[in-house]
């Protein structure tokens, strides 16, 4: 005959918290993986940089959140667009609007420069503004979260159930 110990409310609470943490970790991994598959691919650097982290919520002893994303500078422009995208009417953008408020000019090599344009002695062309159509939004994080909503919730609840059913 098996003897089952009575569970205290403390042990049930601990199991609930452990299960929730495991479930959130699984859901974070799923969203991260799906976002990597959805990320726009040029060099695949963006897709490879997507990661997740389950961290505690400041001020709470037993609360976590999954943070999913990347630290690449251009990731937000890929997800949301640059806000300037209009392929039919590109905009002249002053150099400080490109993010560097201290720069007065932009310098770069231009192998196929139009005839008549001459680079400086180092082979660089300098511009105070550029004609840029912006970047079209190519969402990958938000769709990944939306697509995994049902599966993620199921994984989350199953992880809690598994922990609660442990002796």
């Amino acid at each position: 005959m098996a003897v089952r110990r009575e569970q205290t409310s403390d042990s049930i609470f601990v199991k609930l918290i452990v299960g929730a943490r495991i479930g959130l970790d699984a859901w974070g991994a799923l969203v991260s993986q799906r976002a990597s598959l959805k990320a726009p691919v040029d060099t695949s650097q963006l897709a490879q940089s997507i990661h997740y982290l389950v961290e505690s919520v400041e001020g709470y002893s037993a609360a976590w959140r999954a943070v999913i994303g990347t630290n690449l500078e251009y990731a937000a422009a890929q997800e949301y667009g640059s806000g300037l995208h209009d392929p039919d009417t590109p905009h002249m953008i002053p150099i400080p609007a490109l993010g560097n408020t201290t720069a007065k000019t932009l310098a770069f090599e231009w192998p196929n420069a139009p005839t008549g344009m001459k680079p400086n002695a180092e082979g660089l062309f300098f511009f105070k503004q550029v004609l840029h159509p912006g970047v079209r939004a190519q969402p990958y994080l938000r769709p990944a979260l939306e697509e995994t909503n049902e599966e993620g919730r199921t994984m989350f609840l199953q992880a809690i159930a598994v922990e609660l059913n442990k002796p």
Side-chain angles (χ1 to χ4, degrees):
M1 171 172 23
V3 178
R4 184 172 177 166
R5 254 186 327 162
E6 286 296 316
Q7 293 185 344
T8 65
S9 61
D10 286 346
S11 68
I12 292 172
F13 179 73
V14 168
K15 288 179 179 185
L16 179 67
I17 297 303
V18 168
R21 173 67 170 78
I22 291 169
L24 187 59
D25 189 56
W27 195 352
L30 179 65
V31 173
S32 177
Q33 178 187 40
R34 191 73 53 88
S36 291
L37 294 173
K38 296 184 141 318
V41 177
D42 184 15
T43 64
S44 75
Q45 187 176 8
L46 177 59
Q48 292 174 0
S49 71
I50 297 170
H51 60 279
Y52 77 98
L53 169 69
V54 175
E55 63 184 18
S56 60
V57 177
E58 191 174 331
Y60 296 91
S61 60
W64 298 281
R65 65 177 164 224
V67 180
I68 303 156
T70 173
N71 60 355
L72 293 179
E73 279 183 18
Y74 62 87
Q78 293 294 319
E79 177 75 15
Y80 300 107
S82 68
L84 302 170
H85 185 70
D86 184 358
D88 298 327
T89 56
H91 303 281
M92 289 302 286
I93 304 170
I95 299 307
L98 293 175
N100 187 346
T101 57
T102 60
K104 301 217 186 303
T105 60
L106 179 65
F108 55 90
E109 295 177 3
W110 194 0
N112 298 320
T115 307
M117 294 190 74
K118 302 287 183 214
N120 73 355
E122 289 85 33
L124 298 176
F125 291 86
F126 290 84
F127 297 91
K128 291 186 181 282
Q129 55 186 6
V130 293
L131 186 62
H132 195 289
V135 177
R136 179 179 53 85
Q138 299 179 71
Y140 54 96
L141 285 171
R142 291 170 294 157
L145 179 60
E146 290 167 8
E147 284 179 14
T148 61
N149 191 26
E150 188 174 321
E151 187 178 356
R153 286 175 190 247
T154 300
M155 292 167 60
F156 181 79
L157 293 173
Q158 284 177 340
I160 292 171
V162 165
E163 287 302 313
L164 289 173
N165 286 323
K166 286 184 178 177

